[in-house]
Amino acid sequence: QVQLVESGGGLVQAGGSLRLSCAASGRTFSSYALGWFRQAPGKERDFVAAINWSGNNIYYTDSVKGRFAISRDNAKNTVYLQMNSLKPEDTAVYYCAADQTRRFTIATARSAYDYWGQGTQVTVSS
């Protein structure tokens, strides 16, 4: 069982930055891939970014490339999402997720992820 707890959300003006953190429980944190998803009101939960166990395989959805950066610290059982140049359309609840099936590769589909955090709200004002 893996428990994920996100933090770092908040209200920020367009062009600003936020850093989300996701702390995971369990001794096997370094053995699985992790992802960030987001869900805006009335919309589906969409993929944002993912990282494999070592951090040498990373993928972003097109809309955040060049603005967001995912990273992980296996010693701290934590995955991060640095979000820069935020736009109002980035407003959503952001969720981290763990994919225990994959270690070296990463997936973008929601169905690939086994565990989810409770989410943290990010609001970007114009």
mmCIF file of all heavy atoms in Angstrom, residues 21-44:
data_model
loop_
_atom_site.group_PDB
_atom_site.id
_atom_site.type_symbol
_atom_site.label_atom_id
_atom_site.label_comp_id
_atom_site.label_asym_id
_atom_site.label_seq_id
_atom_site.Cartn_x
_atom_site.Cartn_y
_atom_site.Cartn_z
ATOM 1 N N SER A 21 4.702 19.502 -3.906
ATOM 2 C CA SER A 21 5.416 18.354 -3.363
ATOM 3 C C SER A 21 4.427 17.222 -3.138
ATOM 4 O O SER A 21 3.248 17.461 -2.873
ATOM 5 C CB SER A 21 6.087 18.710 -2.042
ATOM 6 O OG SER A 21 7.026 19.742 -2.193
ATOM 7 N N CYS A 22 4.919 16.017 -3.221
ATOM 8 C CA CYS A 22 4.091 14.844 -2.945
ATOM 9 C C CYS A 22 4.942 13.873 -2.146
ATOM 10 O O CYS A 22 5.912 13.307 -2.669
ATOM 11 C CB CYS A 22 3.600 14.212 -4.230
ATOM 12 S SG CYS A 22 2.678 12.675 -3.977
ATOM 13 N N ALA A 23 4.582 13.687 -0.890
ATOM 14 C CA ALA A 23 5.307 12.783 -0.016
ATOM 15 C C ALA A 23 4.644 11.414 -0.028
ATOM 16 O O ALA A 23 3.419 11.309 0.099
ATOM 17 C CB ALA A 23 5.333 13.331 1.399
ATOM 18 N N ALA A 24 5.445 10.389 -0.171
ATOM 19 C CA ALA A 24 4.918 9.029 -0.260
ATOM 20 C C ALA A 24 5.351 8.196 0.927
ATOM 21 O O ALA A 24 6.472 8.354 1.438
ATOM 22 C CB ALA A 24 5.403 8.367 -1.543
ATOM 23 N N SER A 25 4.489 7.310 1.326
ATOM 24 C CA SER A 25 4.834 6.355 2.371
ATOM 25 C C SER A 25 5.368 5.085 1.730
ATOM 26 O O SER A 25 5.193 4.853 0.543
ATOM 27 C CB SER A 25 3.606 6.023 3.213
ATOM 28 O OG SER A 25 2.648 5.358 2.408
ATOM 29 N N GLY A 26 6.008 4.254 2.514
ATOM 30 C CA GLY A 26 6.456 2.970 1.990
ATOM 31 C C GLY A 26 7.941 2.941 1.703
ATOM 32 O O GLY A 26 8.524 3.939 1.299
ATOM 33 N N ARG A 27 8.528 1.767 1.877
ATOM 34 C CA ARG A 27 9.971 1.612 1.693
ATOM 35 C C ARG A 27 10.362 1.426 0.246
ATOM 36 O O ARG A 27 11.529 1.464 -0.080
ATOM 37 C CB ARG A 27 10.455 0.411 2.501
ATOM 38 C CG ARG A 27 10.292 0.577 4.010
ATOM 39 C CD ARG A 27 10.704 -0.683 4.721
ATOM 40 N NE ARG A 27 9.809 -1.785 4.395
ATOM 41 C CZ ARG A 27 10.029 -3.042 4.779
ATOM 42 N NH1 ARG A 27 11.118 -3.339 5.447
ATOM 43 N NH2 ARG A 27 9.167 -3.978 4.463
ATOM 44 N N THR A 28 9.393 1.220 -0.657
ATOM 45 C CA THR A 28 9.717 0.901 -2.041
ATOM 46 C C THR A 28 9.523 2.089 -2.971
ATOM 47 O O THR A 28 9.329 1.916 -4.160
ATOM 48 C CB THR A 28 8.862 -0.275 -2.524
ATOM 49 O OG1 THR A 28 7.468 0.085 -2.414
ATOM 50 C CG2 THR A 28 9.140 -1.522 -1.725
ATOM 51 N N PHE A 29 9.602 3.280 -2.437
ATOM 52 C CA PHE A 29 9.366 4.490 -3.227
ATOM 53 C C PHE A 29 10.226 4.516 -4.478
ATOM 54 O O PHE A 29 9.767 4.882 -5.553
ATOM 55 C CB PHE A 29 9.645 5.714 -2.363
ATOM 56 C CG PHE A 29 9.479 7.015 -3.075
ATOM 57 C CD1 PHE A 29 8.227 7.592 -3.221
ATOM 58 C CD2 PHE A 29 10.579 7.680 -3.608
ATOM 59 C CE1 PHE A 29 8.080 8.807 -3.883
ATOM 60 C CE2 PHE A 29 10.434 8.888 -4.262
ATOM 61 C CZ PHE A 29 9.185 9.446 -4.399
ATOM 62 N N SER A 30 11.480 4.135 -4.361
ATOM 63 C CA SER A 30 12.392 4.249 -5.498
ATOM 64 C C SER A 30 12.145 3.193 -6.575
ATOM 65 O O SER A 30 12.792 3.234 -7.618
ATOM 66 C CB SER A 30 13.841 4.137 -5.012
ATOM 67 O OG SER A 30 14.068 2.865 -4.438
ATOM 68 N N SER A 31 11.237 2.279 -6.340
ATOM 69 C CA SER A 31 11.027 1.192 -7.293
ATOM 70 C C SER A 31 9.905 1.461 -8.286
ATOM 71 O O SER A 31 9.639 0.622 -9.140
ATOM 72 C CB SER A 31 10.729 -0.116 -6.547
ATOM 73 O OG SER A 31 9.495 -0.025 -5.870
ATOM 74 N N TYR A 32 9.233 2.606 -8.208
ATOM 75 C CA TYR A 32 8.138 2.818 -9.148
ATOM 76 C C TYR A 32 8.144 4.231 -9.734
ATOM 77 O O TYR A 32 8.756 5.143 -9.215
ATOM 78 C CB TYR A 32 6.786 2.508 -8.501
ATOM 79 C CG TYR A 32 6.544 3.108 -7.138
ATOM 80 C CD1 TYR A 32 6.097 4.414 -6.998
ATOM 81 C CD2 TYR A 32 6.717 2.342 -5.981
ATOM 82 C CE1 TYR A 32 5.855 4.946 -5.751
ATOM 83 C CE2 TYR A 32 6.470 2.872 -4.730
ATOM 84 C CZ TYR A 32 6.039 4.170 -4.621
ATOM 85 O OH TYR A 32 5.800 4.706 -3.381
ATOM 86 N N ALA A 33 7.417 4.329 -10.851
ATOM 87 C CA ALA A 33 7.277 5.609 -11.529
ATOM 88 C C ALA A 33 6.193 6.451 -10.859
ATOM 89 O O ALA A 33 5.295 5.931 -10.205
ATOM 90 C CB ALA A 33 6.916 5.386 -12.993
ATOM 91 N N LEU A 34 6.298 7.751 -11.059
ATOM 92 C CA LEU A 34 5.356 8.687 -10.450
ATOM 93 C C LEU A 34 4.873 9.682 -11.491
ATOM 94 O O LEU A 34 5.604 10.014 -12.433
ATOM 95 C CB LEU A 34 6.041 9.442 -9.318
ATOM 96 C CG LEU A 34 6.457 8.589 -8.126
ATOM 97 C CD1 LEU A 34 7.549 9.272 -7.344
ATOM 98 C CD2 LEU A 34 5.277 8.301 -7.231
ATOM 99 N N GLY A 35 3.662 10.151 -11.292
ATOM 100 C CA GLY A 35 3.114 11.111 -12.229
ATOM 101 C C GLY A 35 2.328 12.208 -11.531
ATOM 102 O O GLY A 35 1.940 12.066 -10.373
ATOM 103 N N TRP A 36 2.138 13.299 -12.260
ATOM 104 C CA TRP A 36 1.256 14.384 -11.827
ATOM 105 C C TRP A 36 0.128 14.511 -12.846
ATOM 106 O O TRP A 36 0.378 14.471 -14.064
ATOM 107 C CB TRP A 36 2.006 15.708 -11.742
ATOM 108 C CG TRP A 36 2.907 15.846 -10.556
ATOM 109 C CD1 TRP A 36 4.254 15.602 -10.510
ATOM 110 C CD2 TRP A 36 2.535 16.265 -9.242
ATOM 111 N NE1 TRP A 36 4.734 15.841 -9.254
ATOM 112 C CE2 TRP A 36 3.698 16.256 -8.444
ATOM 113 C CE3 TRP A 36 1.323 16.649 -8.648
ATOM 114 C CZ2 TRP A 36 3.695 16.613 -7.097
ATOM 115 C CZ3 TRP A 36 1.321 17.014 -7.312
ATOM 116 C CH2 TRP A 36 2.496 16.994 -6.555
ATOM 117 N N PHE A 37 -1.073 14.666 -12.339
ATOM 118 C CA PHE A 37 -2.257 14.895 -13.159
ATOM 119 C C PHE A 37 -2.967 16.134 -12.622
ATOM 120 O O PHE A 37 -2.697 16.569 -11.506
ATOM 121 C CB PHE A 37 -3.205 13.689 -13.081
ATOM 122 C CG PHE A 37 -2.706 12.469 -13.791
ATOM 123 C CD1 PHE A 37 -1.688 11.697 -13.250
ATOM 124 C CD2 PHE A 37 -3.256 12.076 -15.008
ATOM 125 C CE1 PHE A 37 -1.216 10.559 -13.908
ATOM 126 C CE2 PHE A 37 -2.798 10.951 -15.671
ATOM 127 C CZ PHE A 37 -1.784 10.190 -15.118
ATOM 128 N N ARG A 38 -3.889 16.668 -13.416
ATOM 129 C CA ARG A 38 -4.673 17.803 -12.941
ATOM 130 C C ARG A 38 -6.094 17.697 -13.467
ATOM 131 O O ARG A 38 -6.334 17.135 -14.533
ATOM 132 C CB ARG A 38 -4.042 19.124 -13.350
ATOM 133 C CG ARG A 38 -3.981 19.371 -14.848
ATOM 134 C CD ARG A 38 -3.203 20.657 -15.122
ATOM 135 N NE ARG A 38 -3.099 20.948 -16.550
ATOM 136 C CZ ARG A 38 -2.378 21.944 -17.054
ATOM 137 N NH1 ARG A 38 -1.695 22.759 -16.243
ATOM 138 N NH2 ARG A 38 -2.332 22.147 -18.365
ATOM 139 N N GLN A 39 -6.994 18.277 -12.682
ATOM 140 C CA GLN A 39 -8.403 18.245 -13.044
ATOM 141 C C GLN A 39 -9.020 19.608 -12.800
ATOM 142 O O GLN A 39 -9.101 20.065 -11.658
ATOM 143 C CB GLN A 39 -9.145 17.169 -12.240
ATOM 144 C CG GLN A 39 -10.573 16.954 -12.682
ATOM 145 C CD GLN A 39 -11.170 15.691 -12.082
ATOM 146 O OE1 GLN A 39 -10.676 15.142 -11.092
ATOM 147 N NE2 GLN A 39 -12.231 15.204 -12.679
ATOM 148 N N ALA A 40 -9.448 20.234 -13.882
ATOM 149 C CA ALA A 40 -10.137 21.517 -13.803
ATOM 150 C C ALA A 40 -11.630 21.262 -13.607
ATOM 151 O O ALA A 40 -12.122 20.185 -13.951
ATOM 152 C CB ALA A 40 -9.891 22.327 -15.071
ATOM 153 N N PRO A 41 -12.370 22.244 -13.079
ATOM 154 C CA PRO A 41 -13.802 22.050 -12.852
ATOM 155 C C PRO A 41 -14.532 21.650 -14.121
ATOM 156 O O PRO A 41 -14.355 22.275 -15.177
ATOM 157 C CB PRO A 41 -14.261 23.425 -12.352
ATOM 158 C CG PRO A 41 -13.045 24.017 -11.751
ATOM 159 C CD PRO A 41 -11.896 23.539 -12.579
ATOM 160 N N GLY A 42 -15.306 20.587 -14.034
ATOM 161 C CA GLY A 42 -16.096 20.139 -15.170
ATOM 162 C C GLY A 42 -15.321 19.400 -16.236
ATOM 163 O O GLY A 42 -15.881 19.065 -17.293
ATOM 164 N N LYS A 43 -14.050 19.129 -15.979
ATOM 165 C CA LYS A 43 -13.222 18.443 -16.973
ATOM 166 C C LYS A 43 -12.657 17.148 -16.409
ATOM 167 O O LYS A 43 -12.700 16.906 -15.206
ATOM 168 C CB LYS A 43 -12.096 19.362 -17.442
ATOM 169 C CG LYS A 43 -12.583 20.613 -18.162
ATOM 170 C CD LYS A 43 -11.438 21.382 -18.758
ATOM 171 C CE LYS A 43 -11.934 22.584 -19.540
ATOM 172 N NZ LYS A 43 -10.811 23.344 -20.168
ATOM 173 N N GLU A 44 -12.104 16.349 -17.304
ATOM 174 C CA GLU A 44 -11.510 15.092 -16.886
ATOM 175 C C GLU A 44 -10.133 15.346 -16.253
ATOM 176 O O GLU A 44 -9.523 16.390 -16.438
ATOM 177 C CB GLU A 44 -11.369 14.151 -18.071
ATOM 178 C CG GLU A 44 -12.694 13.670 -18.633
ATOM 179 C CD GLU A 44 -12.530 12.580 -19.671
ATOM 180 O OE1 GLU A 44 -11.387 12.343 -20.111
ATOM 181 O OE2 GLU A 44 -13.536 11.966 -20.038
#
